[in-house]
Amino acid sequence: MSMQASLVNNPSFADITTVGVGGKIARFIEPKSRVAVIEAVEDADELGLPLCVIGGGSNMLVSDENFNGVVVRDARRDIHVLDEAAPSEDGIDLQSGAHLVHINAEAGCNWDDFVSHTISLGLEGVEGLSGIPGTVGASVVQNIGAYGQEVSQSVTSVEVWDRKTKSTMELQKDALNFGYRTSLLKKSMYSSVGVPADSYFPTPRYVVLSVTFCLKHNSTGIVSHSQLANALHVELGERMQTAAIRREVLRVRASKGMLEDASRYDKLWMCGTKCAEGVEFALRLQSEDYVTGEFLEGDNIYSDRHSCGSFFMNPILSTSEADTLPEDAPKFDAIMQDGSHGIKTSAAWLIDHAGFHKGFRLIENGKPSPAGLSSLHTLALTNRNNASCDDIANLAKTIIRGVQSKFGVTLIPEPVVINISIN
């Protein structure tokens, strides 16, 4: 079957991404074994075809044009505890006294399924990352982080397929070069920050096969973020049940419109990519316990849930650059790409103070664009009503230019942007 003919039977990126935009896919493969994942990647590379290895589709903005290449979505979702539930005395965290447990998850495992499973096992270490859409494989590429935790804090090693040497490798934590929303894996896709490389884009040189984590055998976790501490009415650094921390993280994320629309898992091309219990739990919270993520505009109801999540990274500036910001701008110590001291500021603050407030939409041909800022959080660019990739991209460009003009800071998109420019 030709690439063009197969477009009819395959999904579009709109079907498999959380923002719900993107063109049809020429060849879509869901390998069910480790060997099949490697073969699918190697075959595409040998044929010189564009390759996109996708996880949950939550951190991706793809052109509306047809993708005349291969999209691989790993269908392996197993989780294995590599140690006993209470391992021997030599596996103990010196700070807390808790036993250490190593757990391995295949790259295609839904990330929140993984978090939920670790909590059910009485393990501490990733509860603050609850509710982040995507997969285990994508989590280490992006070095996801939230509420005082980053995935890099718990990773011990990542098994990858190296597309250059055509071999598998076990990359230890120290070799992964984790940083703020980046890693060795992500860096292999870019020639510089935000600039795609000529090769290995939009899929890294190193394709994740599985990830091994080291977690603590402890039913409580540390509340390590001030916003979370305030929401829980406890002191920063206090310990609470990990299940309680998870529930509050989900509630706070929902209040910001940062939970994906769980109903996507009932649709043809997403069905089965998240465990049934996880889907049921997410749908229940979405409909009962938390804010709906919906708003009324005229006679129509729209959703804040169809987005890429946080669209821009928080800028890390040199001290001299940070000094040019207003005194009330958020400023936190950080490490720059070259390892020197820097200052991190808030992209959401910059966007809001550049005049782009919650719910902002461009006016096109006398009508509001179907893309807009979330009504709950300025970092989320949302597909409100059948938006196109161009609609999202035009909004992003407008915000980038506005923040640059107001503050002299260039915002860098967090999602992988494929076949479209927003610079």
Side-chain angles (χ1 to χ4, degrees):
M1 183 182 293
S2 70
M3 283 282 191
Q4 197 64 33
S6 65
L7 286 168
V8 177
N9 301 314
N10 285 339
S12 67
F13 278 101
D15 294 320
I16 58 175
T17 59
T18 54
V19 72
V21 304
K24 292 288 288 186
I25 295 165
R27 188 177 182 193
F28 183 71
I29 306 173
E30 291 188 283
K32 293 179 172 59
S33 71
R34 179 175 173 277
V35 169
V37 172
I38 294 170
E39 287 179 346
V41 171
E42 193 171 15
D43 287 349
D45 283 344
E46 287 182 352
L47 293 171
L49 297 172
L51 171 67
C52 177
V53 175
I54 191 171
S58 59
N59 198 48
M60 186 171 287
L61 179 67
V62 188
S63 165
D64 297 313
E65 300 299 319
N66 291 338
F67 184 80
N68 292 312
V70 180
V71 174
V72 176
R73 185 169 69 184
D74 194 337
R76 302 171 309 127
R77 302 182 181 98
D78 286 346
I79 302 171
H80 302 282
V81 178
L82 304 181
D83 304 315
E84 298 173 4
S88 59
E89 293 295 324
D90 59 355
I92 291 180
D93 175 58
L94 297 178
Q95 187 173 16
S96 66
H99 291 285
L100 299 177
V101 177
H102 292 84
I103 185 166
N104 178 270
E106 293 174 326
C109 177
N110 177 275
W111 173 256
D112 198 56
D113 284 352
F114 173 73
V115 174
S116 177
H117 186 66
T118 64
I119 291 174
S120 73
L121 293 175
L123 301 179
E124 171 198 358
V126 292
E127 60 279 354
L129 305 179
S130 295
I132 296 179
T135 59
V136 166
S139 74
V140 289
V141 176
Q142 182 73 359
N143 187 19
I144 59 173
Y147 303 108
Q149 290 181 340
E150 286 186 336
V151 75
S152 58
Q153 295 168 333
S154 299
V155 169
T156 61
S157 64
V158 178
E159 184 194 20
V160 300
W161 170 256
D162 184 347
R163 297 168 65 193
K164 182 175 182 178
T165 64
K166 299 186 183 302
S167 62
T168 58
M169 299 174 62
E170 190 80 18
L171 295 173
Q172 301 301 311
K173 180 176 180 176
D174 290 346
L176 287 162
N177 293 334
F178 284 122
Y180 170 63
R181 300 297 176 271
T182 193
S183 66
L184 170 72
L185 315 173
K186 182 176 178 179
K187 289 173 183 175
S188 71
M189 294 194 296
Y190 294 93
S191 58
S192 60
V193 178
V195 180
D198 292 335
S199 57
Y200 307 123
F201 186 89
T203 294
R205 168 181 166 179
Y206 308 99
V207 175
V208 179
L209 299 174
S210 69
V211 182
T212 299
F213 301 84
C214 183
L215 304 176
K216 300 170 188 175
H217 195 257
N218 202 332
S219 62
T220 65
I222 296 174
V223 180
S224 53
H225 191 276
S226 58
Q227 186 179 31
L228 197 56
N230 292 336
L232 287 164
H233 307 293
V234 299
E235 296 294 323
L236 192 64
E238 191 171 328
R239 279 195 167 271
M240 290 193 69
Q241 292 291 314
T242 51
I245 293 175
R246 168 174 165 76
R247 187 173 183 85
E248 191 60 28
V249 166
L250 291 171
R251 191 196 68 77
V252 173
R253 290 186 69 87
S255 71
K256 297 179 178 181
M258 289 296 182
L259 289 181
E260 65 180 327
D261 183 359
S263 66
R264 70 192 293 243
Y265 294 103
D266 289 334
K267 297 179 180 177
L268 173 63
W269 292 104
M270 293 303 299
C271 187
T273 61
K274 182 176 175 66
C275 75
E277 295 83 358
V279 174
E280 182 182 354
F281 176 72
L283 286 171
R284 186 170 69 251
L285 297 182
Q286 184 171 310
S287 63
E288 297 175 4
D289 293 349
Y290 300 139
V291 295
T292 65
E294 297 176 344
F295 57 93
L296 183 67
E297 191 173 272
D299 295 326
N300 299 310
I301 295 178
Y302 297 119
S303 174
D304 272 320
R305 289 199 182 95
H306 302 142
S307 75
C308 300
S310 297
F311 198 89
F312 297 107
M313 293 187 285
N314 290 323
I316 299 180
L317 311 173
S318 67
T319 52
S320 59
E321 289 171 329
D323 286 343
T324 67
L325 295 177
E327 288 187 9
D328 59 337
K331 297 175 185 177
F332 309 95
D333 289 335
I335 303 299
M336 301 192 70
Q337 287 277 340
D338 61 4
S340 62
H341 176 262
I343 301 293
K344 182 190 290 186
T345 190
S346 165
W349 188 95
L350 295 174
I351 292 167
D352 187 57
H353 286 74
F356 305 103
H357 307 305
K358 295 173 185 177
F360 173 84
R361 294 165 78 177
L362 294 171
I363 303 299
E364 299 173 350
N365 300 319
K367 296 181 179 179
S369 167
L373 287 182
S374 166
S375 65
L376 300 170
H377 201 299
T378 56
L379 266 187
L381 278 61
T382 64
N383 175 0
R384 296 195 175 193
N385 183 30
N386 296 318
S388 66
C389 180
D390 284 341
D391 292 326
I392 303 289
N394 289 338
L395 177 60
K397 291 175 188 176
T398 301
I399 291 170
I400 290 171
R401 287 194 295 264
V403 169
Q404 174 65 43
S405 176
K406 179 76 172 180
F407 299 110
V409 175
T410 300
L411 294 178
I412 303 297
E414 193 168 312
V416 177
V417 179
I418 301 175
N419 293 339
I420 190 168
S421 173
I422 59 175
N423 296 327

